[in-house]
Amino acid sequence: MKAASFRDIALIVLPIALLLGLAAFLVAKFVQPAPPRVVVMSTGSADGAYHAFAERYRAQLAKYGIRLELKPSAGSVENLARLRAGTDGVSVALLQGGIAGAEGATGLMTLGSVFYEPLWCFYRGAAIPLGTGLRGRRIAVGVPGS
């Protein structure tokens, strides 16, 4: 039996190496990474509606083996600050629409609207015209930063 020459080995190894390299390139190019197993969400106050919605997301994601950690906050302003800073491991937050503004949304992406938040005005007295009737008056809109 004759010993294999360098040329014989190269004719076998080179095509296999090229195929493995091509397969690795295709996998890296087209296969998406798995979602993270732990996601940290900034929610708002622990007794608020955003936190309640986040609890429902936690239950849904748990069905798929994803653990959702909730970090209560003062509200949308703090949630946005956490997203921008990337602190506390926060990668997802619930915000009121329009709070980031066009110039402040750099590097952030919205997944869409979750729900509408109506503004309810209750008052005593005669009917007031919409739009201008509250001008100059004080209204309570929640805790600072919410």
Side-chain angles (χ1 to χ4, degrees):
M1 186 163 182
K2 176 177 130 173
S5 71
F6 177 74
R7 182 178 180 273
D8 293 337
I9 294 174
L11 288 175
I12 293 172
V13 173
L14 190 59
I16 292 173
L18 288 174
L19 284 175
L20 288 175
L22 178 64
F25 171 76
L26 291 174
V27 166
K29 178 81 173 162
F30 296 108
V31 175
Q32 298 295 319
R37 290 286 159 217
V38 178
V39 177
V40 180
M41 176 185 265
S42 189
T43 63
S45 66
D47 59 347
Y50 283 4
H51 195 79
F53 275 102
E55 290 286 353
R56 291 172 58 187
Y57 279 116
R58 177 191 279 174
Q60 288 297 317
L61 291 172
K63 294 177 183 177
Y64 298 97
I66 299 171
R67 185 168 51 100
L68 182 63
E69 290 182 8
L70 305 180
K71 295 219 180 248
S73 70
S76 289
V77 174
E78 185 177 350
N79 292 348
L80 179 60
R82 284 178 174 174
L83 281 175
R84 284 185 178 148
T87 58
D88 299 329
V90 172
S91 58
V92 178
L94 294 172
L95 303 173
Q96 291 176 323
I99 196 156
E103 73 286 344
T106 305
L108 300 179
M109 181 182 298
T110 181
L111 297 179
S113 296
V114 179
F115 50 87
Y116 292 106
E117 294 185 71
L119 174 65
W120 296 91
C121 292
F122 298 95
Y123 66 95
R124 292 177 195 232
I128 57 174
L130 291 177
T132 60
L134 296 177
R135 183 171 290 146
R137 297 183 181 211
R138 293 176 47 167
I139 59 171
V141 293
V143 298
S146 69

